[in-house]
PDB file of all heavy atoms in Angstrom:
ATOM      1  N   LEU A 611      93.270 105.425  82.915  1.00  0.00           N
ATOM      2  CA  LEU A 611      94.341 104.920  83.781  1.00  0.00           C
ATOM      3  C   LEU A 611      94.120 105.337  85.231  1.00  0.00           C
ATOM      4  O   LEU A 611      94.246 104.544  86.160  1.00  0.00           O
ATOM      5  CB  LEU A 611      95.695 105.471  83.314  1.00  0.00           C
ATOM      6  CG  LEU A 611      96.463 104.661  82.284  1.00  0.00           C
ATOM      7  CD1 LEU A 611      97.750 105.388  81.920  1.00  0.00           C
ATOM      8  CD2 LEU A 611      96.793 103.282  82.823  1.00  0.00           C
ATOM      9  N   LEU A 612      93.794 106.625  85.384  1.00  0.00           N
ATOM     10  CA  LEU A 612      93.662 107.176  86.741  1.00  0.00           C
ATOM     11  C   LEU A 612      92.384 106.685  87.424  1.00  0.00           C
ATOM     12  O   LEU A 612      92.428 106.131  88.528  1.00  0.00           O
ATOM     13  CB  LEU A 612      93.668 108.706  86.659  1.00  0.00           C
ATOM     14  CG  LEU A 612      93.765 109.436  87.992  1.00  0.00           C
ATOM     15  CD1 LEU A 612      95.087 109.159  88.666  1.00  0.00           C
ATOM     16  CD2 LEU A 612      93.587 110.937  87.782  1.00  0.00           C
ATOM     17  N   ILE A 613      91.233 106.861  86.719  1.00  0.00           N
ATOM     18  CA  ILE A 613      89.948 106.551  87.354  1.00  0.00           C
ATOM     19  C   ILE A 613      89.648 105.056  87.306  1.00  0.00           C
ATOM     20  O   ILE A 613      89.096 104.489  88.242  1.00  0.00           O
ATOM     21  CB  ILE A 613      88.818 107.379  86.687  1.00  0.00           C
ATOM     22  CG1 ILE A 613      89.102 108.877  86.868  1.00  0.00           C
ATOM     23  CG2 ILE A 613      87.455 107.030  87.259  1.00  0.00           C
ATOM     24  CD1 ILE A 613      88.343 109.774  85.920  1.00  0.00           C
ATOM     25  N   GLY A 614      90.062 104.416  86.201  1.00  0.00           N
ATOM     26  CA  GLY A 614      89.721 103.007  86.028  1.00  0.00           C
ATOM     27  C   GLY A 614      90.670 102.044  86.737  1.00  0.00           C
ATOM     28  O   GLY A 614      90.267 100.963  87.138  1.00  0.00           O
ATOM     29  N   PHE A 615      91.942 102.441  86.868  1.00  0.00           N
ATOM     30  CA  PHE A 615      92.921 101.501  87.425  1.00  0.00           C
ATOM     31  C   PHE A 615      93.588 102.004  88.704  1.00  0.00           C
ATOM     32  O   PHE A 615      93.547 101.328  89.731  1.00  0.00           O
ATOM     33  CB  PHE A 615      93.989 101.174  86.369  1.00  0.00           C
ATOM     34  CG  PHE A 615      93.444 100.410  85.205  1.00  0.00           C
ATOM     35  CD1 PHE A 615      93.034 101.078  84.060  1.00  0.00           C
ATOM     36  CD2 PHE A 615      93.324  99.034  85.253  1.00  0.00           C
ATOM     37  CE1 PHE A 615      92.514 100.384  82.981  1.00  0.00           C
ATOM     38  CE2 PHE A 615      92.815  98.329  84.177  1.00  0.00           C
ATOM     39  CZ  PHE A 615      92.409  99.004  83.053  1.00  0.00           C
ATOM     40  N   ALA A 616      94.202 103.187  88.632  1.00  0.00           N
ATOM     41  CA  ALA A 616      95.028 103.645  89.760  1.00  0.00           C
ATOM     42  C   ALA A 616      94.190 103.882  91.015  1.00  0.00           C
ATOM     43  O   ALA A 616      94.523 103.376  92.094  1.00  0.00           O
ATOM     44  CB  ALA A 616      95.783 104.911  89.371  1.00  0.00           C
ATOM     45  N   LEU A 617      93.083 104.630  90.891  1.00  0.00           N
ATOM     46  CA  LEU A 617      92.281 104.950  92.081  1.00  0.00           C
ATOM     47  C   LEU A 617      91.657 103.712  92.718  1.00  0.00           C
ATOM     48  O   LEU A 617      91.737 103.549  93.937  1.00  0.00           O
ATOM     49  CB  LEU A 617      91.211 106.002  91.748  1.00  0.00           C
ATOM     50  CG  LEU A 617      91.749 107.428  91.540  1.00  0.00           C
ATOM     51  CD1 LEU A 617      90.612 108.395  91.239  1.00  0.00           C
ATOM     52  CD2 LEU A 617      92.543 107.908  92.749  1.00  0.00           C
ATOM     53  N   PRO A 618      91.049 102.788  91.937  1.00  0.00           N
ATOM     54  CA  PRO A 618      90.494 101.580  92.580  1.00  0.00           C
ATOM     55  C   PRO A 618      91.566 100.749  93.289  1.00  0.00           C
ATOM     56  O   PRO A 618      91.325 100.210  94.376  1.00  0.00           O
ATOM     57  CB  PRO A 618      89.899 100.796  91.407  1.00  0.00           C
ATOM     58  CG  PRO A 618      89.649 101.798  90.348  1.00  0.00           C
ATOM     59  CD  PRO A 618      90.702 102.846  90.513  1.00  0.00           C
ATOM     60  N   LEU A 619      92.751 100.664  92.673  1.00  0.00           N
ATOM     61  CA  LEU A 619      93.834  99.890  93.281  1.00  0.00           C
ATOM     62  C   LEU A 619      94.249 100.523  94.608  1.00  0.00           C
ATOM     63  O   LEU A 619      94.428  99.846  95.623  1.00  0.00           O
ATOM     64  CB  LEU A 619      95.013  99.845  92.304  1.00  0.00           C
ATOM     65  CG  LEU A 619      96.193  98.942  92.643  1.00  0.00           C
ATOM     66  CD1 LEU A 619      95.722  97.544  92.973  1.00  0.00           C
ATOM     67  CD2 LEU A 619      97.164  98.914  91.480  1.00  0.00           C
ATOM     68  N   TRP A 620      94.369 101.841  94.593  1.00  0.00           N
ATOM     69  CA  TRP A 620      94.723 102.574  95.812  1.00  0.00           C
ATOM     70  C   TRP A 620      93.622 102.430  96.860  1.00  0.00           C
ATOM     71  O   TRP A 620      93.903 102.198  98.036  1.00  0.00           O
ATOM     72  CB  TRP A 620      94.966 104.055  95.459  1.00  0.00           C
ATOM     73  CG  TRP A 620      95.085 104.945  96.636  1.00  0.00           C
ATOM     74  CD1 TRP A 620      96.168 105.095  97.458  1.00  0.00           C
ATOM     75  CD2 TRP A 620      94.081 105.828  97.145  1.00  0.00           C
ATOM     76  NE1 TRP A 620      95.895 106.002  98.444  1.00  0.00           N
ATOM     77  CE2 TRP A 620      94.637 106.471  98.277  1.00  0.00           C
ATOM     78  CE3 TRP A 620      92.777 106.139  96.751  1.00  0.00           C
ATOM     79  CZ2 TRP A 620      93.909 107.394  99.013  1.00  0.00           C
ATOM     80  CZ3 TRP A 620      92.073 107.070  97.491  1.00  0.00           C
ATOM     81  CH2 TRP A 620      92.639 107.679  98.609  1.00  0.00           C
ATOM     82  N   ALA A 621      92.367 102.538  96.411  1.00  0.00           N
ATOM     83  CA  ALA A 621      91.246 102.448  97.356  1.00  0.00           C
ATOM     84  C   ALA A 621      91.219 101.081  98.038  1.00  0.00           C
ATOM     85  O   ALA A 621      90.926 100.966  99.230  1.00  0.00           O
ATOM     86  CB  ALA A 621      89.930 102.711  96.629  1.00  0.00           C
ATOM     87  N   LYS A 622      91.545 100.032  97.278  1.00  0.00           N
ATOM     88  CA  LYS A 622      91.560  98.696  97.855  1.00  0.00           C
ATOM     89  C   LYS A 622      92.646  98.608  98.934  1.00  0.00           C
ATOM     90  O   LYS A 622      92.451  97.994  99.975  1.00  0.00           O
ATOM     91  CB  LYS A 622      91.806  97.655  96.762  1.00  0.00           C
ATOM     92  CG  LYS A 622      91.657  96.236  97.252  1.00  0.00           C
ATOM     93  CD  LYS A 622      91.579  95.246  96.115  1.00  0.00           C
ATOM     94  CE  LYS A 622      91.913  93.839  96.569  1.00  0.00           C
ATOM     95  NZ  LYS A 622      91.226  93.385  97.776  1.00  0.00           N
ATOM     96  N   ARG A 623      93.771  99.245  98.689  1.00  0.00           N
ATOM     97  CA  ARG A 623      94.874  99.235  99.666  1.00  0.00           C
ATOM     98  C   ARG A 623      94.482  99.952 100.951  1.00  0.00           C
ATOM     99  O   ARG A 623      94.807  99.522 102.034  1.00  0.00           O
ATOM    100  CB  ARG A 623      96.110  99.945  99.080  1.00  0.00           C
ATOM    101  CG  ARG A 623      96.913  99.146  98.102  1.00  0.00           C
ATOM    102  CD  ARG A 623      97.593  97.982  98.737  1.00  0.00           C
ATOM    103  NE  ARG A 623      96.967  96.760  98.321  1.00  0.00           N
ATOM    104  CZ  ARG A 623      97.142  95.597  98.927  1.00  0.00           C
ATOM    105  NH1 ARG A 623      97.930  95.487  99.957  1.00  0.00           N
ATOM    106  NH2 ARG A 623      96.512  94.541  98.493  1.00  0.00           N
ATOM    107  N   VAL A 624      93.813 101.101 100.829  1.00  0.00           N
ATOM    108  CA  VAL A 624      93.564 101.914 102.024  1.00  0.00           C
ATOM    109  C   VAL A 624      92.210 101.649 102.673  1.00  0.00           C
ATOM    110  O   VAL A 624      92.000 102.017 103.826  1.00  0.00           O
ATOM    111  CB  VAL A 624      93.732 103.432 101.742  1.00  0.00           C
ATOM    112  CG1 VAL A 624      95.164 103.741 101.355  1.00  0.00           C
ATOM    113  CG2 VAL A 624      92.774 103.903 100.668  1.00  0.00           C
ATOM    114  N   ASN A 625      91.273 101.020 101.943  1.00  0.00           N
ATOM    115  CA  ASN A 625      89.954 100.774 102.536  1.00  0.00           C
ATOM    116  C   ASN A 625      89.710  99.321 102.921  1.00  0.00           C
ATOM    117  O   ASN A 625      89.154  99.035 103.964  1.00  0.00           O
ATOM    118  CB  ASN A 625      88.844 101.204 101.573  1.00  0.00           C
ATOM    119  CG  ASN A 625      88.793 102.700 101.401  1.00  0.00           C
ATOM    120  OD1 ASN A 625      89.195 103.449 102.298  1.00  0.00           O
ATOM    121  ND2 ASN A 625      88.338 103.150 100.247  1.00  0.00           N
ATOM    122  N   ASP A 626      90.135  98.404 102.047  1.00  0.00           N
ATOM    123  CA  ASP A 626      89.785  96.990 102.245  1.00  0.00           C
ATOM    124  C   ASP A 626      90.834  96.261 103.066  1.00  0.00           C
ATOM    125  O   ASP A 626      91.514  95.362 102.561  1.00  0.00           O
ATOM    126  CB  ASP A 626      89.632  96.299 100.884  1.00  0.00           C
ATOM    127  CG  ASP A 626      88.421  96.816 100.139  1.00  0.00           C
ATOM    128  OD1 ASP A 626      87.690  97.614 100.740  1.00  0.00           O
ATOM    129  OD2 ASP A 626      88.227  96.421  98.979  1.00  0.00           O
ATOM    130  N   PHE A 627      90.958  96.638 104.326  1.00  0.00           N
ATOM    131  CA  PHE A 627      91.921  95.921 105.153  1.00  0.00           C
ATOM    132  C   PHE A 627      91.408  94.523 105.438  1.00  0.00           C
ATOM    133  O   PHE A 627      90.208  94.329 105.632  1.00  0.00           O
ATOM    134  CB  PHE A 627      92.189  96.686 106.449  1.00  0.00           C
ATOM    135  CG  PHE A 627      93.320  97.655 106.314  1.00  0.00           C
ATOM    136  CD1 PHE A 627      93.151  98.809 105.565  1.00  0.00           C
ATOM    137  CD2 PHE A 627      94.549  97.407 106.892  1.00  0.00           C
ATOM    138  CE1 PHE A 627      94.190  99.705 105.398  1.00  0.00           C
ATOM    139  CE2 PHE A 627      95.595  98.297 106.731  1.00  0.00           C
ATOM    140  CZ  PHE A 627      95.420  99.446 105.986  1.00  0.00           C
ATOM    141  N   PRO A 628      92.313  93.528 105.441  1.00  0.00           N
ATOM    142  CA  PRO A 628      91.854  92.160 105.682  1.00  0.00           C
ATOM    143  C   PRO A 628      91.241  92.055 107.074  1.00  0.00           C
ATOM    144  O   PRO A 628      91.812  92.532 108.049  1.00  0.00           O
ATOM    145  CB  PRO A 628      93.128  91.320 105.568  1.00  0.00           C
ATOM    146  CG  PRO A 628      94.254  92.266 105.714  1.00  0.00           C
ATOM    147  CD  PRO A 628      93.769  93.602 105.260  1.00  0.00           C
ATOM    148  N   ASN A 629      90.082  91.454 107.105  1.00  0.00           N
ATOM    149  CA  ASN A 629      89.366  91.346 108.369  1.00  0.00           C
ATOM    150  C   ASN A 629      89.483  89.914 108.870  1.00  0.00           C
ATOM    151  O   ASN A 629      88.503  89.277 109.204  1.00  0.00           O
ATOM    152  CB  ASN A 629      87.898  91.746 108.141  1.00  0.00           C
ATOM    153  CG  ASN A 629      87.138  91.849 109.434  1.00  0.00           C
ATOM    154  OD1 ASN A 629      87.750  91.948 110.501  1.00  0.00           O
ATOM    155  ND2 ASN A 629      85.825  91.818 109.349  1.00  0.00           N
ATOM    156  N   ASP A 630      90.718  89.387 108.881  1.00  0.00           N
ATOM    157  CA  ASP A 630      90.840  88.004 109.315  1.00  0.00           C
ATOM    158  C   ASP A 630      91.705  87.907 110.571  1.00  0.00           C
ATOM    159  O   ASP A 630      92.650  88.663 110.763  1.00  0.00           O
ATOM    160  CB  ASP A 630      91.337  87.105 108.178  1.00  0.00           C
ATOM    161  CG  ASP A 630      92.812  87.236 107.900  1.00  0.00           C
ATOM    162  OD1 ASP A 630      93.580  86.551 108.578  1.00  0.00           O
ATOM    163  OD2 ASP A 630      93.179  88.023 107.004  1.00  0.00           O
ATOM    164  N   LYS A 631      91.345  86.980 111.424  1.00  0.00           N
ATOM    165  CA  LYS A 631      92.029  86.813 112.709  1.00  0.00           C
ATOM    166  C   LYS A 631      93.440  86.277 112.509  1.00  0.00           C
ATOM    167  O   LYS A 631      94.259  86.302 113.414  1.00  0.00           O
ATOM    168  CB  LYS A 631      91.225  85.840 113.582  1.00  0.00           C
ATOM    169  CG  LYS A 631      89.853  86.382 113.963  1.00  0.00           C
ATOM    170  CD  LYS A 631      89.556  86.114 115.429  1.00  0.00           C
ATOM    171  CE  LYS A 631      88.472  87.036 115.969  1.00  0.00           C
ATOM    172  NZ  LYS A 631      87.283  87.139 115.106  1.00  0.00           N
ATOM    173  N   ASN A 632      93.696  85.770 111.302  1.00  0.00           N
ATOM    174  CA  ASN A 632      94.983  85.162 111.005  1.00  0.00           C
ATOM    175  C   ASN A 632      96.056  86.177 110.614  1.00  0.00           C
ATOM    176  O   ASN A 632      97.209  85.821 110.456  1.00  0.00           O
ATOM    177  CB  ASN A 632      94.807  84.176 109.846  1.00  0.00           C
ATOM    178  CG  ASN A 632      95.176  82.782 110.269  1.00  0.00           C
ATOM    179  OD1 ASN A 632      95.777  82.609 111.322  1.00  0.00           O
ATOM    180  ND2 ASN A 632      94.832  81.812 109.454  1.00  0.00           N
ATOM    181  N   ALA A 633      95.616  87.437 110.415  1.00  0.00           N
ATOM    182  CA  ALA A 633      96.567  88.436 109.924  1.00  0.00           C
ATOM    183  C   ALA A 633      97.656  88.690 110.971  1.00  0.00           C
ATOM    184  O   ALA A 633      97.406  88.644 112.172  1.00  0.00           O
ATOM    185  CB  ALA A 633      95.840  89.729 109.602  1.00  0.00           C
ATOM    186  N   ILE A 634      98.861  88.923 110.475  1.00  0.00           N
ATOM    187  CA  ILE A 634      99.990  89.245 111.340  1.00  0.00           C
ATOM    188  C   ILE A 634      99.953  90.747 111.612  1.00  0.00           C
ATOM    189  O   ILE A 634      99.845  91.543 110.679  1.00  0.00           O
ATOM    190  CB  ILE A 634     101.317  88.892 110.625  1.00  0.00           C
ATOM    191  CG1 ILE A 634     101.338  87.430 110.209  1.00  0.00           C
ATOM    192  CG2 ILE A 634     102.515  89.263 111.483  1.00  0.00           C
ATOM    193  CD1 ILE A 634     101.455  86.459 111.331  1.00  0.00           C
ATOM    194  N   LEU A 635     100.017  91.114 112.895  1.00  0.00           N
ATOM    195  CA  LEU A 635     100.002  92.531 113.252  1.00  0.00           C
ATOM    196  C   LEU A 635     101.388  92.951 113.736  1.00  0.00           C
ATOM    197  O   LEU A 635     101.989  92.282 114.583  1.00  0.00           O
ATOM    198  CB  LEU A 635      98.987  92.804 114.361  1.00  0.00           C
ATOM    199  CG  LEU A 635      97.544  92.422 114.057  1.00  0.00           C
ATOM    200  CD1 LEU A 635      96.666  92.671 115.275  1.00  0.00           C
ATOM    201  CD2 LEU A 635      97.023  93.239 112.881  1.00  0.00           C
ATOM    202  N   VAL A 636     101.864  94.042 113.194  1.00  0.00           N
ATOM    203  CA  VAL A 636     103.176  94.553 113.586  1.00  0.00           C
ATOM    204  C   VAL A 636     103.089  96.068 113.700  1.00  0.00           C
ATOM    205  O   VAL A 636     102.359  96.711 112.935  1.00  0.00           O
ATOM    206  CB  VAL A 636     104.250  94.212 112.508  1.00  0.00           C
ATOM    207  CG1 VAL A 636     105.631  94.622 112.994  1.00  0.00           C
ATOM    208  CG2 VAL A 636     104.242  92.758 112.153  1.00  0.00           C
ATOM    209  N   HIS A 637     103.809  96.644 114.660  1.00  0.00           N
ATOM    210  CA  HIS A 637     104.000  98.086 114.684  1.00  0.00           C
ATOM    211  C   HIS A 637     105.414  98.380 114.192  1.00  0.00           C
ATOM    212  O   HIS A 637     106.368  97.752 114.659  1.00  0.00           O
ATOM    213  CB  HIS A 637     103.840  98.643 116.109  1.00  0.00           C
ATOM    214  CG  HIS A 637     102.420  98.590 116.585  1.00  0.00           C
ATOM    215  ND1 HIS A 637     102.057  98.924 117.873  1.00  0.00           N
ATOM    216  CD2 HIS A 637     101.272  98.260 115.944  1.00  0.00           C
ATOM    217  CE1 HIS A 637     100.742  98.790 118.004  1.00  0.00           C
ATOM    218  NE2 HIS A 637     100.242  98.379 116.847  1.00  0.00           N
ATOM    219  N   ALA A 638     105.517  99.289 113.237  1.00  0.00           N
ATOM    220  CA  ALA A 638     106.840  99.699 112.750  1.00  0.00           C
ATOM    221  C   ALA A 638     107.051 101.151 113.156  1.00  0.00           C
ATOM    222  O   ALA A 638     106.224 102.009 112.852  1.00  0.00           O
ATOM    223  CB  ALA A 638     106.918  99.550 111.232  1.00  0.00           C
ATOM    224  N   ILE A 639     108.128 101.390 113.873  1.00  0.00           N
ATOM    225  CA  ILE A 639     108.400 102.735 114.368  1.00  0.00           C
ATOM    226  C   ILE A 639     109.717 103.219 113.775  1.00  0.00           C
ATOM    227  O   ILE A 639     110.769 102.629 114.031  1.00  0.00           O
ATOM    228  CB  ILE A 639     108.459 102.768 115.916  1.00  0.00           C
ATOM    229  CG1 ILE A 639     107.148 102.226 116.501  1.00  0.00           C
ATOM    230  CG2 ILE A 639     108.706 104.177 116.424  1.00  0.00           C
ATOM    231  CD1 ILE A 639     107.241 100.847 117.064  1.00  0.00           C
ATOM    232  N   GLY A 640     109.646 104.269 112.969  1.00  0.00           N
ATOM    233  CA  GLY A 640     110.851 104.807 112.346  1.00  0.00           C
ATOM    234  C   GLY A 640     111.544 105.780 113.278  1.00  0.00           C
ATOM    235  O   GLY A 640     110.905 106.434 114.110  1.00  0.00           O
ATOM    236  N   GLN A 641     112.837 105.825 113.166  1.00  0.00           N
ATOM    237  CA  GLN A 641     113.604 106.838 113.883  1.00  0.00           C
ATOM    238  C   GLN A 641     114.882 107.049 113.100  1.00  0.00           C
ATOM    239  O   GLN A 641     115.278 106.191 112.307  1.00  0.00           O
ATOM    240  CB  GLN A 641     113.928 106.399 115.308  1.00  0.00           C
ATOM    241  CG  GLN A 641     114.984 105.284 115.386  1.00  0.00           C
ATOM    242  CD  GLN A 641     115.329 104.901 116.806  1.00  0.00           C
ATOM    243  OE1 GLN A 641     114.493 104.392 117.544  1.00  0.00           O
ATOM    244  NE2 GLN A 641     116.559 105.163 117.175  1.00  0.00           N
ATOM    245  N   GLN A 642     115.527 108.197 113.309  1.00  0.00           N
ATOM    246  CA  GLN A 642     116.793 108.436 112.623  1.00  0.00           C
ATOM    247  C   GLN A 642     117.861 107.511 113.214  1.00  0.00           C
ATOM    248  O   GLN A 642     118.219 107.712 114.383  1.00  0.00           O
ATOM    249  CB  GLN A 642     117.209 109.893 112.767  1.00  0.00           C
ATOM    250  CG  GLN A 642     116.307 110.857 111.969  1.00  0.00           C
ATOM    251  CD  GLN A 642     116.598 112.294 112.324  1.00  0.00           C
ATOM    252  OE1 GLN A 642     116.800 112.624 113.492  1.00  0.00           O
ATOM    253  NE2 GLN A 642     116.613 113.166 111.340  1.00  0.00           N
ATOM    254  N   PHE A 643     118.395 106.475 112.584  1.00  0.00           N
ATOM    255  CA  PHE A 643     118.066 106.072 111.219  1.00  0.00           C
ATOM    256  C   PHE A 643     117.870 104.562 111.244  1.00  0.00           C
ATOM    257  O   PHE A 643     118.697 103.807 110.759  1.00  0.00           O
ATOM    258  CB  PHE A 643     119.189 106.470 110.256  1.00  0.00           C
ATOM    259  CG  PHE A 643     119.346 107.971 110.190  1.00  0.00           C
ATOM    260  CD1 PHE A 643     120.300 108.613 110.954  1.00  0.00           C
ATOM    261  CD2 PHE A 643     118.485 108.733 109.400  1.00  0.00           C
ATOM    262  CE1 PHE A 643     120.422 109.995 110.902  1.00  0.00           C
ATOM    263  CE2 PHE A 643     118.617 110.111 109.347  1.00  0.00           C
ATOM    264  CZ  PHE A 643     119.586 110.749 110.110  1.00  0.00           C
ATOM    265  N   ASN A 644     116.794 104.141 111.830  1.00  0.00           N
ATOM    266  CA  ASN A 644     116.505 102.722 112.017  1.00  0.00           C
ATOM    267  C   ASN A 644     114.999 102.464 111.957  1.00  0.00           C
ATOM    268  O   ASN A 644     114.201 103.365 112.176  1.00  0.00           O
ATOM    269  CB  ASN A 644     116.973 102.268 113.407  1.00  0.00           C
ATOM    270  CG  ASN A 644     118.429 101.897 113.434  1.00  0.00           C
ATOM    271  OD1 ASN A 644     118.888 101.119 112.599  1.00  0.00           O
ATOM    272  ND2 ASN A 644     119.166 102.454 114.371  1.00  0.00           N
ATOM    273  N   TRP A 645     114.688 101.209 111.708  1.00  0.00           N
ATOM    274  CA  TRP A 645     113.299 100.767 111.854  1.00  0.00           C
ATOM    275  C   TRP A 645     113.189  99.851 113.062  1.00  0.00           C
ATOM    276  O   TRP A 645     113.907  98.860 113.177  1.00  0.00           O
ATOM    277  CB  TRP A 645     112.844  99.997 110.602  1.00  0.00           C
ATOM    278  CG  TRP A 645     112.668 100.880 109.415  1.00  0.00           C
ATOM    279  CD1 TRP A 645     113.460 100.934 108.307  1.00  0.00           C
ATOM    280  CD2 TRP A 645     111.630 101.849 109.205  1.00  0.00           C
ATOM    281  NE1 TRP A 645     112.976 101.883 107.435  1.00  0.00           N
ATOM    282  CE2 TRP A 645     111.866 102.454 107.961  1.00  0.00           C
ATOM    283  CE3 TRP A 645     110.526 102.284 109.959  1.00  0.00           C
ATOM    284  CZ2 TRP A 645     111.056 103.456 107.429  1.00  0.00           C
ATOM    285  CZ3 TRP A 645     109.717 103.269 109.429  1.00  0.00           C
ATOM    286  CH2 TRP A 645     109.973 103.841 108.191  1.00  0.00           C
ATOM    287  N   ASN A 646     112.291 100.185 113.997  1.00  0.00           N
ATOM    288  CA  ASN A 646     112.000  99.319 115.140  1.00  0.00           C
ATOM    289  C   ASN A 646     110.687  98.596 114.864  1.00  0.00           C
ATOM    290  O   ASN A 646     109.748  99.182 114.324  1.00  0.00           O
ATOM    291  CB  ASN A 646     111.805 100.149 116.410  1.00  0.00           C
ATOM    292  CG  ASN A 646     113.019 100.982 116.732  1.00  0.00           C
ATOM    293  OD1 ASN A 646     114.029 100.462 117.178  1.00  0.00           O
ATOM    294  ND2 ASN A 646     112.933 102.280 116.493  1.00  0.00           N
TER     295      ASN A 646
END
Side-chain angles (χ1 to χ4, degrees):
L611 270 178
L612 189 65
I613 299 162
F615 293 95
L617 287 181
L619 188 51
W620 169 78
K622 187 166 160 48
R623 282 293 109 196
V624 296
N625 291 333
D626 292 355
F627 270 72
N629 188 18
D630 76 85
K631 295 223 160 47
N632 241 347
I634 304 290
L635 302 177
V636 186
H637 290 174
I639 303 105
Q641 72 178 65
Q642 290 170 319
F643 296 97
N644 275 310
W645 289 109
N646 301 286

